[in-house]
Amino acid sequence: MRRTPFCAFLISVACFSFVPRTGAQMTTARVSMNQVGGLEIVQVLVNGTGPYDFILDTGANITVIKRPLLRRLNIPDDGPVSIVTAGGASPHRKAMVNSVAIGGLSVEHLEVNDLDRTTSGSLAGRVQGILGENFLKNFDILIDNEQQTLILDRTSNLADTLAGEHLQISRCGSFNLEPTTNRIVVKLNVRSFLQKPLFFLVDSGSNIAMLYPERGLAWRVTENTQPAALGDLSQTRDCRVQMATLEIGRESIRHVRVVSCEGMTRDKIDIDGLLPTGVFHRLFISHRGAYIIANPNPATHERVRVTRNELP
């Protein structure tokens, strides 16, 4: 089996154990999110069929669909790939679907990966897949956790209605000299852990903040922590959880649960941690402008300040 470069397809779903309108002229859609197990579920059409429940996952750089659904829709696979998480890699198949749509907005000819029953993990039950960044990058999006809605916009109209500190994001990185694409990585601080900026993946597919410490610093996260368990797509790991304050731009988000797990360290992935979108009341992600706004306000005539972070 030909193996793809590390992080060519990154899936971030991590669950802490605890019929749309159509129309070629549509540019904006507002859809409901349904929270299940701390994960946001949205309804998606695949090749015009459905809707199916998918996990909204800004931390996955590719869309994933369960293998039985691909077979039911007569979508053939197009060769082997490796899905990589911080816990390791596992073999899967890739496929090309004619269209994936949400709220009447579609992306044509989208590459997807499959998942079989043995590696579904958090995708148990009615959930049929993961809506990842290779779909979401075509829109600016507003994740409104208070209203449990997702707004998608193909234009800059949504961005023009929102104000707040623009935090620059990195859209790609590298690991072992191989590229990692379709990423939303932002700089933040966790001063109780380390007195320097860290780079976290903005991740709606996780319901808890994850920390990937460097090997030599892993001991720091064992102080003032409690034991926990974390399940990803294929296994459950022993972890430690603590409460921390995350500083992102001018925002300080207090009392955030932060987890560090055995064997999941910085040398195995191109980021320092995962930032769940659930810690915000609202989060605006501008794929067009390569920035995010944490808890945006309605725009005024004042010019919005742009924060220039040094990103990898």
Side-chain angles (χ1 to χ4, degrees):
M1 176 181 295
R2 179 180 64 84
R3 294 181 66 84
T4 57
F6 187 97
C7 295
F9 304 107
L10 278 164
I11 301 299
S12 68
V13 170
C15 185
F16 190 66
S17 52
F18 358 135
V19 177
R21 293 174 298 164
T22 59
Q25 303 304 314
M26 288 186 62
T27 60
T28 305
R30 178 190 296 266
V31 299
S32 297
M33 300 188 301
N34 180 31
Q35 192 173 98
V36 177
L39 300 175
E40 299 296 349
I41 307 300
V42 293
Q43 293 200 318
V44 173
L45 298 181
V46 179
N47 286 356
T49 70
Y52 307 105
D53 288 341
F54 273 55
I55 295 173
L56 176 70
D57 194 353
T58 61
N61 68 353
I62 196 163
T63 296
V64 171
I65 301 177
K66 280 185 175 178
R67 187 174 299 170
L69 177 58
L70 291 174
R71 289 174 175 170
R72 190 157 69 245
L73 298 180
N74 295 316
I75 299 173
D77 70 69
D78 193 29
V81 295
S82 288
I83 286 184
V84 181
T85 70
S90 56
H92 296 270
R93 311 290 294 184
K94 63 181 179 179
M96 185 69 68
V97 298
N98 292 333
S99 69
V100 173
I102 179 172
L105 297 178
S106 66
V107 174
E108 312 297 321
H109 308 297
L110 189 73
E111 183 175 314
V112 302
N113 286 177
D114 76 343
L115 278 181
D116 60 24
R117 292 181 180 178
T118 62
T119 56
S120 293
S122 299
L123 302 189
R126 296 187 307 170
V127 175
Q128 295 297 313
I130 298 170
L131 191 64
E133 272 292 299
N134 69 327
F135 176 90
L136 296 170
K137 70 179 182 180
N138 296 280
F139 313 93
D140 285 352
I141 64 174
L142 177 66
I143 300 173
D144 190 330
N145 291 310
E146 291 188 335
Q147 299 296 321
Q148 282 293 282
T149 59
L150 171 70
I151 301 176
L152 303 95
D153 183 20
R154 288 191 188 274
T155 71
S156 61
N157 292 339
L158 178 59
D160 292 341
T161 68
L162 301 172
E165 185 179 13
H166 289 204
L167 298 166
Q168 184 184 4
I169 59 176
S170 172
R171 295 292 291 145
C172 60
S174 64
F175 187 87
N176 287 344
L177 303 180
E178 298 289 355
T180 58
T181 60
N182 291 339
R183 313 289 269 155
I184 307 176
V185 178
V186 67
K187 183 172 69 175
L188 56 77
N189 291 286
V190 187
R191 298 195 187 278
S192 61
F193 167 66
L194 201 61
Q195 296 295 312
K196 72 173 186 178
L198 301 172
F199 299 98
F200 273 49
L201 182 71
V202 177
D203 185 9
S204 64
S206 177
N207 66 355
I208 195 166
M210 289 288 301
L211 180 65
Y212 304 131
E214 296 180 12
R215 283 184 177 273
L217 299 176
W219 63 270
R220 291 174 181 251
V221 299
T222 63
E223 300 177 352
N224 302 316
T225 63
Q226 298 294 324
L230 186 92
D232 60 16
L233 290 177
S234 58
Q235 62 182 307
T236 299
R237 293 179 174 272
D238 292 330
C239 307
R240 305 291 297 185
V241 60
Q242 63 179 322
M243 304 303 291
T245 297
L246 306 184
E247 300 174 358
I248 176 169
R250 297 192 298 267
E251 290 272 339
S252 290
I253 307 170
R254 302 180 184 277
H255 308 300
V256 177
R257 292 181 302 170
V258 178
V259 162
S260 178
C261 296
E262 181 182 4
M264 298 174 69
T265 51
R266 183 63 164 83
D267 60 300
K268 294 186 177 181
I269 201 164
D270 64 337
I271 51 176
D272 295 304
L274 303 180
L275 176 64
T277 59
V279 304
F280 304 101
H281 299 296
R282 299 198 304 166
L283 180 69
F284 175 66
I285 301 172
S286 175
H287 292 101
R288 178 186 299 269
Y291 67 87
I292 66 173
I293 303 177
N295 298 320
N297 296 308
T300 67
H301 295 296
E302 298 178 3
R303 184 175 181 177
V304 177
R305 177 187 173 211
V306 177
T307 298
R308 298 296 181 186
N309 293 321
E310 295 179 2
L311 293 169

